[in-house]
Amino acid sequence: MNNKEFISEVATQTGYTNKSTQELADCLVELMSGHLEEGHSIQVPNFGSFEVKKKKERIMVSPMTQQRMLVPPKLVVSFKPATVIKDKFK
Amino acid sequence: MDTKVLIQDLAKALAERKGIDKKDALAFVQSFFDVVVFSLKRDKYVKIKGLGTFKQIEVESRESMNIHTGERFEIQGHMKISFTPDSSLRDAVNKPFAHFETVALSDDVSESELDAVDDQFKAMELEADQVEEAEEAFVEKPEEISEEPLAEPETSVLPVEEKSEEVLPVVTEEADAVLPEEKEEITSEEEPKLSDGEDPVRADIPVENIAAPVETQNVTYAAQLPNEEDDEEDEDEDKSKFSKYYILLTVFLVLASLGAGYLLGHMTQGKPEEIQVILYDTIYIEKKPAVEDTVKIETEPVIKKDETTPPLKQKDEKVEKKTGAKAEPKKAEPVKKETAVKSSNHSNYPQLPGGAYWIVGTAQTYKLRAGETIRLIAERFFGSRQMAPYIIKYNAISDPDHVAEGTVLNIPKLEYKHK
């Protein structure tokens, strides 16, 4: 399901128009990414949690050239589904 | 950093931004995520602009072994939800580290060398910690002493000198061993401080440069105690002697730092870079507590002479122990360098958390040939590939998937935990 379909699905459920749903969704996503940038974790009941994690630097070997590369440390967003959701998908 | 944000917070902010009712906002947020779950189930993937993509991934069933009981069992195939952040979100979150770039490593740097460097750094950190701990212990001691009420007023500067000289004979024998480099650094530091003081103690300094560090730490503290009495008297009689006290204090500070430098230098002979680094650390650490003491002295001036001597001895004993402890990691280091893969500690083997077996020693060593993997080796020696974690743990292999040909592995000797 792409973004457009997703928005129209949310729109039918909430009763907003597609346009205002898109606006609200954009605003929500903006808020979420704002929190994540600060390093906060976001917890959504019955869905899961978003968290920023630090990945350590590592040495990688390029399969093409056999050249060894030092990959720098980075911060990534990780999503951990709630147990309720996990059970649903079993 | 680890603040938790709930959907209520999100809904509140959303309501403020968009000028809608809080309840509506909360309902919107909830249905937003409900739809994600719903469509994820139906379409296996949901893409949300600005946030990322949720995907449902099938995990095939696989065989595994219970590491507690050694039982084999099958992990059932199941569904996994993966989340890939949108590139804009990914970049925004990684902003603090954005300036890093992937660097190509030259081939002549081997991984074991990197490990060896790592070990060195760890050892250095450990040492610094120990010194700090030792300092803390010393700071506490004099305070305890000062609480007991037993004042003996007639103490002059003399005992100070005596005590510092007591330390002297023990140490001067080793004096010649000090690296010249170190001395230079030290003398340059002491000069400005001493320039304004003319004290009998000062004459001792050149010789005492050499005093062992932790020992001189004792001296500093021990010395400070009599000083305090001086101070006490002086305050009663003449405030001008106050400056003399400060000079004395600086002199002993310098002595302490010199001594610290010496011991560290002595321990790490032949490794000039390390000496320098540690030297600065110790000097920095040492000055702090001493200054704190001065403040205390001024506020609570009831200190006795009798107590000062026994603690000195106690401290000396402690010091001996400490120097012994410090020497240990140093000795272990060369071993680490020779075979970086080999774990250093002989009495304490690394254990696999939750494993069914204890690692109790090295059964034998094995040189890895081309095409062999740790798992294969595990099968050969222990009869199961599932035992590979023990070899990986025991040899401290960071990347078990890429072990170089010719690596010498220590095959651990295992002992079943539940006998």
Side-chain angles (χ1 to χ4, degrees), chain B residues 361-387:
Chain B
T362 312
Q364 61 186 106
T365 56
Y366 183 80
K367 197 172 177 187
L368 208 63
R369 271 177 265 162
E372 284 180 329
T373 64
I374 306 268
R375 284 164 69 81
L376 274 175
I377 300 302
E379 192 169 23
R380 189 172 310 158
F381 285 98
F382 302 113
S384 168
R385 296 184 179 203
Q386 314 276 357
M387 304 297 274

Side-chain angles (χ1 to χ4, degrees), chain B residues 7 11 47 71 197 340 347:
Chain B
I7 52 166
K47 195 172 184 179
E71 248 174 69
S347 56

Side-chain angles (χ1 to χ4, degrees), chain B residues 252-286:
Chain B
F252 281 108
L253 264 178
V254 172
L255 281 180
S257 30
L258 295 179
Y262 166 73
L263 185 73
L264 287 168
H266 200 63
M267 278 164 32
T268 56
Q269 265 175 19
K271 291 176 197 165
E273 308 111 306
E274 267 181 54
I275 292 164
Q276 283 176 3
V277 179
I278 297 166
L279 188 65
Y280 290 129
D281 277 356
T282 352
I283 289 170
Y284 171 68
I285 293 157
E286 242 165 74

Side-chain angles (χ1 to χ4, degrees), chain A residues 1 39 41 43 68 70 75 89, chain B residues 1 5 45 94 103 105 109:
Chain A
M1 188 186 263
S41 67
Q43 294 202 312
R68 298 197 307 155
L70 182 66
L75 295 169
F89 282 94
Chain B
M1 192 62 188
V5 180
Y45 102 97
N94 196 40
V103 203
L105 289 174
V109 186

Side-chain angles (χ1 to χ4, degrees), chain B residues 64-122:
Chain B
S64 182
M65 189 175 82
N66 187 329
I67 54 168
H68 294 282
T69 61
E71 248 174 69
R72 281 163 192 270
F73 67 97
E74 194 179 48
I75 296 175
Q76 290 291 315
H78 55 98
M79 285 305 200
K80 204 178 84 179
I81 299 169
S82 90
F83 170 67
T84 317
D86 198 282
S87 59
S88 61
L89 176 62
R90 191 188 60 208
D91 292 344
V93 167
N94 196 40
K95 217 181 263 167
F97 287 165
H99 59 283
F100 289 128
E101 270 172 30
T102 306
V103 203
L105 289 174
S106 58
D107 285 335
D108 47 299
V109 186
S110 77
E111 245 168 86
S112 54
E113 274 173 49
L114 287 175
D115 284 349
V117 173
D118 249 22
D119 287 339
Q120 268 182 8
F121 273 113
K122 270 173 202 161

